[in-house]
Amino acid sequence: MPLIRAGAVVLDDQVCRPGWLEITGARILACGAGEPPAPPDRDFPDCLVVPGYIDMHVHGGGGASYLDAEQIDEAAQFHRCHGTTTTLASLVTAAPDTLIAGVRALAEATRSGTVAGIHLEGPWLATARCGAHDPTQMRDPEPGEVDDVLAAGEGTIRMVTLAPERPGAGEAIRRFVDAGVVVAVGHTDATYEQTQQAIALGATVGTHLFNAMPPLHHREPGPALALLESPAVTVELIPDGVHVHPAAVHAVVRAAGPDRVAVITDAIAAAGCEDGAYRLGAVQVDVRAGVARVHATSTIAGSTATMDQLFRTISRLGPDADAALVAAVQMTSATPARALGLGRVGALQAGYDANLVVLDRELRVAAVMAQGAWR
């Protein structure tokens, strides 16, 4: 039963200096503020320990993609090294056969514990807000395809992003919610009222808020305001300095609170790699100066970010350093865990999975533990 001590540990929404955790197998047996009850097996005197990051929207990284069955393990391992101990692997819009094959591959990866489940970002999206998705494969959510996808996932699909203005979207939202799937509104041209209706039907997440949706307008507030003002909705943000202006990030966190904001990477295979040509599904992507865009356009195509990078950014959101750290932990672990209905992850407390990240003075990853094993 390893005993871990650190100069600081985030426990119960506060920064404890020092703090400790006792691990047994894959679980946290006990934890607390102050000095540990016995000499520690591992001591990190100049480090901060936080819960393992939870990325609920990511397509790949380290040159590997969750869209390729043979690269799933590699993509997950890349992000694990950056502190992401719980991953919801995202699939983009694709033809029906390709979509089903991708779901089946990730269902197997979910059962093996490589990822925590599947996020379907498409194909039931708005062509006008396609972003880096293939617009020729976007379609209405027909009941038959919805049932086929759910059957292929065998309970591993945790979230679906769709455009609520699509014909049949209301019925699809009901079907997914009944199946225990979180429904997210995104890549949409929906009105404020259509978004409200989707929320009333059970949608509880806003996919990468502001991106791939109409901008907020004072006479046509659109989906962004409807998502922000509903206390039942968790909004995703990509605070990489590219997708959302830092001032907008601050405003959203102040308005919604850290308990309703989930930081995501939306990373593609290019994360952690050099600039160059990549693919996101059927779409060619160019990465220049670390920014991914659809080939020969200005359209952003996911990100090259990692969760540790984004944690460093959002941990500087306020003048109170400890409060900012606690908020960063909420947005990178506790909030996404709650939004997805994941148990035993998202916090450091007795009975939870032993998923943690050790950060040095610059908040860079010094060590990662997942399911009680150092990675």
Side-chain angles (χ1 to χ4, degrees):
M1 292 189 292
L3 187 60
I4 300 167
R5 178 196 180 278
V9 182
V10 177
L11 300 171
D12 297 324
D13 294 334
Q14 60 182 328
V15 182
C16 303
R17 294 185 176 87
W20 57 273
L21 301 103
E22 188 173 9
I23 311 298
T24 178
R27 299 284 179 85
I28 298 171
L29 178 65
C31 53
E35 295 296 338
D41 300 291
R42 294 289 299 271
D43 194 1
F44 300 97
D46 298 318
C47 293
L48 168 72
V49 176
V50 300
Y53 305 134
I54 299 173
D55 194 349
M56 59 190 283
H57 187 154
V58 53
H59 300 278
S65 171
Y66 288 121
L67 311 178
D68 187 328
E70 297 180 355
Q71 297 178 4
I72 294 171
D73 287 350
E74 184 181 350
Q77 178 57 28
F78 167 79
H79 283 289
R80 193 173 296 118
C81 290
H82 288 273
T84 300
T85 55
T86 303
T87 295
L88 202 61
S90 302
L91 293 174
V92 293
T93 296
D97 290 349
T98 303
L99 180 66
I100 292 295
V103 168
R104 285 177 175 154
L106 283 173
E108 182 59 34
T110 302
R111 287 188 286 268
S112 70
T114 303
V115 298
I118 304 168
H119 166 218
L120 298 181
E121 191 183 14
W124 310 299
L125 310 176
T127 304
R129 302 288 174 178
C130 62
H133 291 247
D134 181 358
T136 68
Q137 292 297 335
M138 290 182 173
R139 49 197 183 268
D140 297 335
E142 298 289 344
E145 184 173 33
V146 169
D147 287 343
D148 288 346
V149 165
L150 287 171
E154 295 183 308
T156 61
I157 297 173
R158 282 201 170 268
M159 187 167 75
V160 171
T161 294
L162 53 74
E165 72 274 21
R166 279 262 184 197
E171 182 181 347
I173 291 172
R174 293 188 190 93
R175 178 72 179 91
F176 282 122
V177 170
D178 287 346
V181 177
V182 173
V183 174
V185 172
H187 284 274
T188 177
D189 223 14
T191 64
Y192 173 81
E193 292 77 14
Q194 287 171 323
T195 307
Q196 283 187 313
Q197 180 62 23
I199 294 168
L201 291 172
T204 55
V205 170
T207 295
H208 43 52
L209 189 70
F210 302 128
N211 296 113
M213 62 180 63
L216 193 152
H217 188 278
H218 59 285
R219 283 190 295 272
E220 297 177 5
L225 184 60
L227 293 165
L228 274 172
E229 71 179 6
S230 172
V233 172
T234 298
V235 293
E236 297 179 345
L237 277 182
I238 313 171
D240 62 349
V242 176
H243 284 78
V244 185
H245 191 282
V249 173
H250 280 252
V252 169
V253 174
R254 285 196 301 269
D259 60 334
R260 285 189 50 218
V261 176
V263 167
I264 62 164
T265 63
D266 197 12
I268 64 172
C273 300
E274 296 180 353
D275 287 357
Y278 297 86
R279 298 196 75 83
L280 181 58
V283 176
Q284 185 176 337
V285 175
D286 297 328
V287 178
R288 299 286 181 269
V291 179
R293 299 186 188 277
V294 175
H295 177 65
T297 76
S298 61
T299 301
I300 300 172
S303 87
T304 60
T306 53
M307 286 295 283
D308 57 327
Q309 170 195 338
L310 301 182
F311 182 91
R312 286 192 294 275
T313 298
I314 61 172
S315 67
R316 306 184 184 103
L317 281 181
D320 184 319
D322 280 6
L325 281 174
V326 169
V329 166
Q330 285 183 288
M331 292 184 283
T332 57
S333 55
T335 298
R338 186 176 61 254
L340 296 173
L342 297 173
R344 300 200 313 269
V345 294
L348 299 176
Q349 70 182 64
Y352 273 47
D353 290 352
N355 296 341
L356 57 88
V357 187
V358 181
L359 302 171
D360 66 16
R361 287 182 178 272
E362 285 71 46
L363 299 182
R364 298 187 180 277
V365 175
V368 178
M369 175 180 282
Q371 295 289 306
W374 294 106
R375 306 292 182 175

